[in-house]
Each structure stands twice: as C-alpha cells, then as structure tokens.
C-alpha cells in the first residue's frame, strides 16, 4: 500500500517530532513554572519572546534560526567548530525548527496547569517540613501532570505539522528533512502524484488524531485512580 | 514563654501591628473578620514575611528583622491546621498523614500514627481520598497530619467553624485533650466567644488595622 519511500517519510516525521517534543519538554516546563510562579523584571518580555514563534510567519522564524544556528551563525559556527555538529540540511535541524515552533504551545499548556495548582497546598507542604524543592516535586509537579501531557501532545502534533520554519532552515532534502508536510508539498509540485499525496495526507490525519487520543488517555489515566472512587 | 510575638505586617494598603506574649497552654487570637488573624498565623508559621518585628515560640527565635533572622517554614516545625484544611487532593488520607511524618526527625516524634488515629478517630478513613471526606473528617485528618509532623507548636485556624454542633462539640473536646495531654503550646484563631471561653487560658485581641501612611 505504501512505498518504501513513504514509510521512510513517516519514520523521519515521527523521529523528528518525538525528538523535538522530548527535548523541549524540560525547558518548556521550567519556563512555564518561571512565568507562572515567579515575579521578576523582564518576565513579560520573556513571555512575549516565547510566544513569538506563534505569531511570526514561520518563514521568518526559519530565517532567524538560519542566522543564529547556520554554519556562519554565532551558535551554529560554535557548534560546528567545537562539536562537529551541523544543524542545517539534516534531520537534527528539522527537529530544532519543530522544537522552536512547538515551544510556545507547550509552555502555554503547562503554565495553565501550574497556575491551576493551589499555591496554598505548597504552603501546607512547607509547614509540614518540605523544602521548596521537595514541595515542588511532591505537590506542584504531580498536580500539573495533565498539563504536561497536554503540552507534550500539542508539541508533538505541532512538530508533525511543522512546514515553514523547517523548509527555510533545514531545507527539503529527501531522507533528511523531508517530513510529511514537506513530502506532501513536494508531491503537489509533481504531476500525477495525487494518490501519493492523498495517502500521506490520510497518514497525517491518523497520526495527529492518534496523538490527541493518546494524550487524552494519559490525562485520564493520571487522574484515573482518583476519578474512580469519586 | 510559649508565644512571644511583636510584629508588623503590610497587606496591600493595610498595616497590622500586633504584640503579645503568652505562657498559656492555649492562647486564643480573637478579633473581627478582616483584622488579619490568619495573617498573624501565616507570619508565625513562616508563610508570610512580616515587614518588621520578631517571633519566638517555645523559646526558639523564628524571625527577627533586627538580626536578619528568618527561619524557613520547613524548619519552624509549626503544626498549622488551616481553616481550609489543605489536604493534598492527589494523595489518600494515609499518604497525607505520611507526608509530614516522613519528613520529621525520628528523635523529635512525640506521637505515633496509632495514637493519632485513636485520638482523632480517623482509623477508618485511611484509604479514602480527601475529596470523599465530610467537613468534620477533613478537619480531623488535617489535625492528624499536623500532629504527625512532630510540631513544636500548634496553630489552629477556626478549627470548629462550619461544623454542625455535635461535631463541633466532639472536636472541641478533642482540642481540650490535646491541650491537656500533649505538652505543646497552641495558638487558636476564633471568632466564637463560647469556643474561646471554653478552650483558651489567655485571650489576645487583634488591634484594628490602620491604613498605611501614603509614602511622600
């Protein structure tokens, strides 16, 4: 039903999205916590900067990545000369582009769930002898788990659909950076590949739906034991 | 001195100044609602930082703005029973009790889980989730959780409010037992005159809060 090349596109898409989501998870949660719980100068600016990829044209985000992380960019050049890592034109670059685009959605979902955790519970934990770290690990973190699951799903789905920043920053190279949306776009340029485009589009829908259902299931399971007795 | 408090709190544009010293087993803090009684408990427990002053309980200095001393809440060892109980919703009753129990230093524990369960009659509730408890049960579990953290003093915020008379009576009898049988100082916040008269050896009245002078 699917050609080997199409399977390769799916595998690449899943790898890029999974890596982007997993790598973004810890910093996204840290940023969400910082914005939800701390008051510091520059907080609004940080919040705005995190949201920038959400409102900027993705092509602009890709171009900015190219300037910063490209071979001649300050960070990209440093990575290449010190670690031999290049991000442009390979799957790592596609993952970086997807991660940057997914970050605002992940931070948003997690921030809301952290804000929903009653701070008075943290105070209660402190009076019972918990250090700030212990109170965070035993109260804030477990109670914001549904938001972490929701954020991870949103990030994964957003990464699966990432197009503009990826094609600008990582380019459209078969087997390297040609993820599902890029493959569909490429198919549309070639006459006679309508059926291949249809197959890839259906797979996109199935994967996105799967991510949604999986996160819903995770959220239910994390609350399940409690919901059960209620 | 069981409680030796002299502090100033700034809450929005309200300023609360209160000073009292008590050697009673159970002292009551009374005053109209909005006078800042809970804020004083928060300051004694370390959850709220006073703008100035000092707090000493059972001979331990916990806060002294002049000496820049501010012991963090987890080291103050307050057995704080909040008016809204604040049981952890994601932990069963037994895990709520275990929270402070596990953090207490074994050498400082002065009451066992079995004794607490007998005293507060909560042995049958251990497997329940907090959301399934009645108001009185929630209050008793909150007191049990505070006692098991091996506190050096108790702060009770309106422990009998919003309970039906029969339950309030049982809980009042229980607080009397804690007061008479356990040798730790207790500070009770209440607006019920009969409750205070029955339980307290000493009564401290909240001064009315003053508007903060506008900074020029």
């Amino acid at each position: 039903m699917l050609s080997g090349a199409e399977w390769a596109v799916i595998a690449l898409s899943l790898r890029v999205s999974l890596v982007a989501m997993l790598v973004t998870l810890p910093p996204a949660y840290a940023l969400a916590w910082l914005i939800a719980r701390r008051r510091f100068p520059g907080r609004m600016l940080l919040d705005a900067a995190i949201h920038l990829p959400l409102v900027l044209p993705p092509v602009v985000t890709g171009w900015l990545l190219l300037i910063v992380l490209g071979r001649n960019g300050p960070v990209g050049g440093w990575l290449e000369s010190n670690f031999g890592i290049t991000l442009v034109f390979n799957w790592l670059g596609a993952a970086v582009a997807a991660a940057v685009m997914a970050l605002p959605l992940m931070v948003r979902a997690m921030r809301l769930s952290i804000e929903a955790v009653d701070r008075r519970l943290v105070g209660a934990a402190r009076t019972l002898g918990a250090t700030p770290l212990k109170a965070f690990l035993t109260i804030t973190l477990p109670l914001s788990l549904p938001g972490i699951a929701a954020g991870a799903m949103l990030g994964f789905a957003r990464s699966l659909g990432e197009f503009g920043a990826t094609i600008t920053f990582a380019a459209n190279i078969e087997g390297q950076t040609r993820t599902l949306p890029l493959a569909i776009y490429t198919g549309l340029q070639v006459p006679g590949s309508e059926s291949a485009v249809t197959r890839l589009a259906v797979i996109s829908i199935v994967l996105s739906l799967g991510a949604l259902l999986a996160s819903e299931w995770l959220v239910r399971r994390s609350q399940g034991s409690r919901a059960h007795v209620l | 001195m069981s409680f030796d408090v002299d502090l100033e709190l700034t809450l929005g544009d309200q300023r609360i100044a209160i000073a009292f010293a008590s050697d009673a087993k159970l002292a009551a803090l009374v005053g109209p609602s909005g006078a800042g009684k809970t804020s004083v408990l928060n300051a004694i427990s370390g959850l709220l930082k006073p703008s100035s002053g000092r707090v000493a309980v059972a001979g331990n200095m916990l806060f002294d703005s002049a000496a820049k001393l501010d012991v963090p809440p987890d080291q103050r060892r307050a057995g704080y029973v909040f008016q809204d109980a604040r049981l952890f919703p994601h932990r069963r009753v037994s895990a709520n009790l275990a929270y402070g129990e596990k953090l207490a230093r074994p050498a400082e524990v002065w009451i066992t889980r079995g004794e607490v369960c007998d005293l507060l009659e909560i042995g049958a509730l251990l497997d329940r989730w907090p959301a399934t408890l009645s108001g009185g049960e929630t209050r008793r579990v909150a007191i049990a959780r505070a006692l098991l953290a091996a506190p050096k003093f108790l702060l009770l915020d309106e422990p009998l409010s919003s309970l039906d008379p029969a339950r309030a009576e049982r809980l009042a009898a229980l607080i009397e037992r804690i007061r008479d049988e356990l040798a730790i100082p207790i500070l009770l916040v209440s607006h019920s005159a009969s409750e205070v008269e029955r339980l307290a050896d000493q009564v401290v009245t909240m001064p009315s809060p003053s508007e903060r002078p506008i900074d020029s």
Side-chain angles (χ1 to χ4, degrees), chain A residues 118-132 134-135 138-139 142-143 225-226 229-230, chain B residues 45 47 72-74 77-78 80 82 84 86-91 99-100 103 129 131-132 145-146 149:
Chain A
D118 193 342
R119 295 185 84 151
R120 294 172 305 173
L121 294 177
V122 177
R126 297 295 312 281
T127 65
L128 290 167
T131 59
K134 172 96 182 165
T138 53
I139 308 296
L143 286 174
S225 47
R226 260 184 297 153
V229 289
L230 291 178
Chain B
S45 70
L47 294 179
D74 47 289
R77 318 299 305 282
Y80 193 166
F82 302 91
D84 52 358
R86 302 192 196 178
L87 298 184
F88 304 132
H90 58 308
R91 292 171 164 249
Y99 195 90
L103 291 168
W129 293 98
T132 68
R145 184 177 71 172

Side-chain angles (χ1 to χ4, degrees), chain B residues 77 101 103-111 150 152:
Chain B
R77 318 299 305 282
E101 201 179 10
L103 291 168
R105 277 181 221 122
E108 291 178 342
V109 170
W110 46 262
I111 191 161
K152 295 195 165 141

Side-chain angles (χ1 to χ4, degrees), chain B residues 56-202:
Chain B
V57 181
N60 294 316
M61 193 60 90
L62 301 177
F63 179 83
D64 187 352
S65 58
K68 294 207 186 311
L69 174 78
D70 185 8
V71 178
D74 47 289
Q75 287 164 36
R76 291 199 183 193
R77 318 299 305 282
Y80 193 166
V81 179
F82 302 91
Q83 191 179 359
D84 52 358
R86 302 192 196 178
L87 298 184
F88 304 132
H90 58 308
R91 292 171 164 249
R92 288 176 197 267
V93 168
S94 58
N96 262 281
L97 298 183
Y99 195 90
E101 201 179 10
K102 280 187 187 153
L103 291 168
R105 277 181 221 122
E108 291 178 342
V109 170
W110 46 262
I111 191 161
T112 68
R113 182 184 278 230
E115 286 167 337
V116 163
C117 288
D118 286 347
L119 188 69
L120 290 147
E121 299 164 30
I122 56 167
L125 306 177
L126 293 177
D127 283 335
R128 301 262 296 272
W129 293 98
T132 68
L133 302 177
S134 73
E137 289 168 343
T138 302
R139 206 61 67 79
R140 269 153 42 213
V141 172
I143 296 174
R145 184 177 71 172
L147 292 180
L148 282 172
K152 295 195 165 141
F153 56 101
L154 287 182
L155 304 171
L156 308 178
D157 195 355
E158 302 274 12
L160 306 183
S161 68
S162 70
L163 294 180
D164 59 68
R167 285 191 187 286
E169 164 56 35
R170 278 173 64 194
L171 204 52
L174 204 97
I175 293 171
E176 281 179 323
R177 276 183 68 189
I178 295 173
R179 177 193 67 192
D180 298 336
E181 292 175 19
L182 311 174
I184 63 170
I186 305 173
L187 185 61
L188 167 89
V189 156
S190 175
H191 62 251
S192 150
S194 60
E195 188 179 315
V196 167
E197 194 179 333
R198 170 172 177 182
L199 298 172
D201 310 314
Q202 183 181 345

